[in-house]
Amino acid sequence: MCAKLLILESPGKVKKVQEILGSGWKVAASVGHVRDLPVKEMGVTAPDFKPQYIPTDRGKEVLSRLAALVKNAEAVYLATDPDREGEAIAWHLQDALKLKDAKRVTYSEITDSAIKEALSAPRAIDMHLVAAQEGRRALDRLCGYMVSGPLSNAAGEKLSAGRVQSPAVRLVVEREREIKSFQSTTHYTVEATFESVDNITDGWKAAWQVEKWLACQEGKLPRSASEGAATAAPSERECLTGSEADRYMVDKGIAEKVAALRAFEIVDCKETENASAPPAPFTTSSLQQAASNALKFTPKQTMQLAQKLYEGGHITYMRTDSPNLSKEAVQALRAFCEGKGWPVVDKPRTWKSKEGAQEAHEAIRPTHVEIEEAGETADEKALYRLIRLRSLASQLADALYAVRILQLKAAVDGKTVLFEAKGRTLLAPGWKMLTQQDATVDAEADSDTQEPDNPVPAMKPGSVATALTGTVLTKKTKPAARFTEASLVRELEKRGIGRPSTYAAILDTIMSRGYVKTDKRNLVPTPLGETVVDALRCKFSFADYEFTRSMEQALDDIAEGKAEYRAVVAKAHAQLEAELQTFAKASGKACPKCGKPMVHRVKKPGKDGKGGYDFWGCTGWPECKEAL
């Protein structure tokens, strides 16, 4: 026997971990999965749905190499990634290498202390996590193999179905159709610019409160100050139609009258303070969104760069849905900030996780916060900087603003017109001394960055303000924006479709299969993508958002030991079979013997003219061997 053997996933980690452990240890990599379901058959069959695993082409060589190392090792430690996928890889290694006393260890950062602490407390492989990963793989395989053939037959072209990819394509298709069917409404508002008061520079502005005017016309507000609660006659709203009347001013003539107003009475002057709290440290989802918005990285690029930073020991594990940091990390961040003289929040911050979050690992953060720059490439360094500043900002004080709001009124045709002027002044930058905004949100959509400089004066109620100008602003209602990769990830997370480790793969799959394309960073469905959605929708439950969400919850239940693998997969399989039979009957491709879908099987003859075939075969094979 010789050194202890530590097997991890990525070859990129080997050198770093070997340096930490030193002599007496041999560190090797599995290079990810070493076994998988067979490529040319489903590999998961009823009634037990036990997966049929075979070594991958790369896995054969890896297993042979690891087997030689195992023979000479005094102990074997399996240190694959700390998530379901990593747990499954550890089990595959244990099973394939016939390890009788393998020790499972996990750590969320590649640092001396984290790795040695993990090695001091090894555990057994968590078979609940393994079963959850197998459940995801089995369900994906069932949907893909059972549905893609009948779907292609019915559509007359090669299509593929995916348990989570299809709902993602559906989101993009439905958003595009919503945009195309949208009818824009032209509407108007008014902006008034006022003269200087108390040494305030000319140019402070107030906006017409159109919604209050429209509510007034409905009788919900007084027509004028003297008329109290008197209501407007129906004729006063003849210029408005339908639901537009409730939201928009569509009569330009009224807007022009309002813009002509010059004398306004001050109704109210409120002085308040507004606090803006920092965003939470990054989860996988929010990191992908922020990197897309701030750095223009795709989710796939972001995860590849984060993997390199993790392997280099610069950041903690990058697949997580928890926005909270460990107690030790928070203490380190706060101590660093205090050492810099930065304003640290009184009580360490915590955040509420999203519904369904697994929270197996803390949020993504730098392993050594004092290191300002890390990474080999410019992109890695940029991503590290984004992660580090977000982590530091999370423990700083709120940004504090002094806010002044003036309510003004005048009258048009005897009816009250209300304006509002809002201005704010930064009193204390707090966390914004490090980063101005939450990069998870597009800057254009971040209302916190949209507040204009508006030096609103302090004025007493009853006093008069004189407008220098009044401008009619013509606006048009806009449909919802197309998804970007960042906003689609946010929507998938919101709907519970997929999990942190799958978002980048989902986007990569739907684009590589030609169902979705990018147009100036926006996602647009292709005709093929629309065909897939139309063929699946209302026919297969896995294309429904709520079903997909509930299936993710079922997989979480397996991971927590609350549900059993076979029961979850069998239920989904039975539902899928029933839906396939209904689909087959509707498309005219049902087996005459058992009712299951028929698949068109075609193989071109070889050069010798032999080996070809062309027939319809029952998907119930081998139980049903009907062929046409």
Side-chain angles (χ1 to χ4, degrees):
M1 293 290 176
C2 59
K4 295 177 181 178
L5 176 63
L6 181 79
I7 304 176
L8 37 71
E9 279 187 52
S10 173
K13 304 176 190 175
V14 171
K15 182 179 179 181
K16 178 76 175 179
V17 176
Q18 186 70 70
E19 289 174 353
I20 290 173
L21 296 180
S23 60
W25 285 88
K26 172 65 178 177
V27 181
S30 72
V31 199
H33 278 278
V34 293
R35 300 194 306 191
D36 199 0
L37 298 173
V39 175
K40 296 184 177 180
E41 57 184 289
M42 191 152 60
V44 183
T45 55
D48 60 358
F49 300 100
K50 183 178 180 181
Q52 301 165 24
Y53 294 116
I54 60 173
T56 62
D57 290 341
R58 187 194 68 247
K60 292 176 184 177
E61 185 277 326
V62 171
L63 287 172
S64 176
R65 173 172 52 81
L66 292 177
L69 294 174
V70 167
K71 285 182 181 179
N72 296 315
E74 65 177 76
V76 178
Y77 292 77
L78 302 175
T80 47
D81 287 350
D83 56 15
R84 293 179 192 175
E85 209 72 24
E87 204 73 17
I89 293 173
W91 175 80
H92 280 288
L93 290 170
Q94 177 180 263
D95 189 61
L97 295 172
K98 297 180 172 54
L99 303 176
K100 295 181 179 179
D101 189 29
K103 305 177 190 301
R104 175 72 170 125
V105 294
T106 59
Y107 40 82
S108 60
E109 58 186 72
I110 301 178
T111 59
D112 187 289
S113 59
I115 290 177
K116 290 180 178 178
E117 182 180 345
L119 291 172
S120 69
R123 60 170 173 81
I125 290 174
D126 187 334
M127 294 308 296
H128 292 314
L129 294 181
V130 175
Q133 188 275 341
E134 286 191 323
R136 180 182 297 281
R137 192 75 182 93
L139 291 170
D140 289 347
R141 182 58 69 100
L142 290 174
C143 288
Y145 267 69
M146 292 175 68
V147 179
S148 296
L151 186 68
S152 299
N153 294 333
E157 57 185 317
K158 187 173 178 58
L159 302 174
S160 62
R163 186 182 63 84
V164 288
Q165 293 91 341
S166 295
V169 177
R170 180 183 168 187
L171 283 169
V172 178
V173 167
E174 291 184 342
R175 176 61 61 85
E176 188 68 17
R177 289 175 176 174
E178 179 186 342
I179 292 169
K180 288 181 178 179
S181 64
F182 183 82
Q183 294 186 341
S184 180
T185 298
T186 300
H187 61 106
Y188 307 95
T189 188
V190 174
E191 182 178 77
T193 303
F194 289 82
E195 63 183 356
S196 64
V197 176
D198 295 338
N199 299 318
I200 298 293
T201 305
D202 289 356
W204 64 276
K205 301 178 186 299
W208 179 24
Q209 303 297 284
V210 175
E211 70 282 359
K212 293 182 179 179
W213 168 275
L214 296 176
C216 175
Q217 310 315 298
E218 288 281 10
K220 298 173 184 176
L221 291 175
R223 291 177 62 192
S224 69
S226 62
E227 291 177 290
T231 59
S235 61
E236 292 169 347
R237 300 187 70 253
E238 289 176 352
C239 60
L240 307 177
T241 60
S243 61
E244 293 175 352
D246 300 325
R247 295 173 289 166
Y248 308 116
M249 169 51 66
V250 296
D251 189 325
K252 188 175 183 180
I254 294 177
E256 288 173 339
K257 288 183 179 181
V258 172
L261 294 170
R262 290 295 177 267
F264 289 82
E265 179 186 343
I266 304 301
V267 177
D268 190 22
C269 180
K270 290 184 178 178
E271 305 267 1
T272 61
E273 287 189 353
N274 175 255
S276 172
F282 285 128
T283 62
T284 303
S285 169
S286 61
L287 177 63
Q288 291 175 6
Q289 293 169 49
S292 176
N293 293 328
L295 305 174
K296 311 308 178 190
F297 295 160
T298 67
K300 183 178 181 179
Q301 283 177 292
T302 298
M303 296 311 291
Q304 289 173 338
L305 294 168
Q307 178 79 32
K308 291 291 187 182
L309 290 172
Y310 170 63
E311 290 174 359
H314 305 306
I315 64 170
T316 54
Y317 194 56
M318 62 285 167
R319 294 189 180 93
T320 175
D321 54 13
S322 173
N324 291 304
L325 299 171
S326 68
K327 182 178 179 181
E328 293 75 18
V330 170
Q331 290 174 344
L333 288 168
R334 291 172 66 85
F336 180 85
C337 293
E338 288 170 348
K340 290 284 187 179
W342 296 345
V344 177
V345 68
D346 292 337
K347 183 180 179 182
R349 297 183 191 274
T350 58
W351 285 265
K352 183 179 180 180
S353 298
K354 294 184 181 296
E355 183 181 352
Q358 298 167 37
E359 297 193 270
H361 318 293
E362 64 176 316
I364 305 167
R365 60 170 175 83
T367 54
H368 300 287
V369 68
E370 68 278 4
I371 297 178
E372 294 185 10
E373 185 176 285
E376 299 295 326
T377 66
D379 285 349
E380 287 177 29
K381 291 174 182 177
L383 188 64
Y384 176 81
R385 189 159 49 248
L386 197 68
I387 293 168
R388 180 176 180 270
L389 291 179
R390 178 90 161 209
S391 299
L392 287 166
S394 74
Q395 296 305 317
L396 292 186
D398 292 351
L400 193 62
Y401 296 87
V403 180
R404 179 178 291 149
I405 301 175
L406 284 183
Q407 297 287 341
L408 309 90
K409 74 175 181 179
V412 167
D413 297 336
K415 293 181 280 290
T416 299
V417 178
L418 297 176
F419 273 65
E420 182 179 272
K422 182 179 181 180
R424 69 174 189 173
T425 303
L426 183 64
L427 298 177
W431 65 275
K432 291 200 171 188
M433 65 182 293
L434 295 183
T435 176
Q436 280 297 304
Q437 66 188 59
D438 179 357
T440 302
V441 181
D442 283 321
E444 295 178 1
D446 187 356
S447 61
D448 201 37
T449 66
Q450 292 289 298
E451 293 283 358
D453 291 331
N454 192 22
V456 177
M459 300 185 72
K460 294 181 179 180
S463 60
V464 175
T466 302
L468 299 174
T469 61
T471 305
V472 175
L473 304 178
T474 301
K475 298 187 176 185
K476 288 190 175 183
T477 57
K478 297 179 180 180
R482 281 173 167 168
F483 284 113
T484 61
E485 290 189 69
S487 63
L488 183 57
V489 166
R490 184 163 58 248
E491 188 69 17
L492 291 171
E493 183 181 42
K494 174 184 172 183
R495 292 178 179 269
I497 299 172
R499 286 296 183 260
S501 62
T502 65
Y503 298 137
I506 291 171
L507 268 67
D508 188 48
T509 298
I510 64 178
M511 286 191 280
S512 65
R513 289 181 177 172
Y515 297 151
V516 173
K517 64 181 181 180
T518 56
D519 178 14
K520 297 179 180 177
R521 298 188 71 236
N522 294 317
L523 298 180
V524 183
T526 64
L528 194 62
E530 294 192 66
T531 299
V532 168
V533 169
D534 290 338
L536 292 173
R537 194 179 173 198
C538 300
K539 301 178 183 72
F540 294 97
S541 53
F542 68 83
D544 296 337
Y545 303 130
E546 189 52 44
F547 178 87
T548 305
R549 180 187 184 92
S550 64
M551 188 53 65
E552 292 292 350
Q553 183 57 56
L555 292 171
D556 290 347
D557 289 343
I558 294 174
E560 295 170 14
K562 297 177 181 177
E564 191 263 328
Y565 162 86
R566 184 185 175 282
V568 171
V569 176
K571 181 179 178 181
H573 178 264
Q575 183 167 351
L576 198 56
E577 277 202 319
E579 291 169 348
L580 276 166
Q581 290 195 32
T582 301
F583 181 78
K585 291 173 183 177
S587 63
K589 300 293 190 299
C591 174
K593 182 177 287 187
C594 71
K596 291 183 178 180
M598 301 288 282
V599 176
H600 192 201
R601 303 188 185 280
V602 180
K603 181 180 179 182
K604 293 181 180 180
K607 292 181 180 180
D608 58 0
K610 298 180 180 180
Y613 53 73
D614 182 345
F615 70 95
W616 288 86
C618 180
T619 55
W621 190 90
E623 289 79 14
C624 178
K625 297 185 169 111
E626 185 72 9
L628 302 174

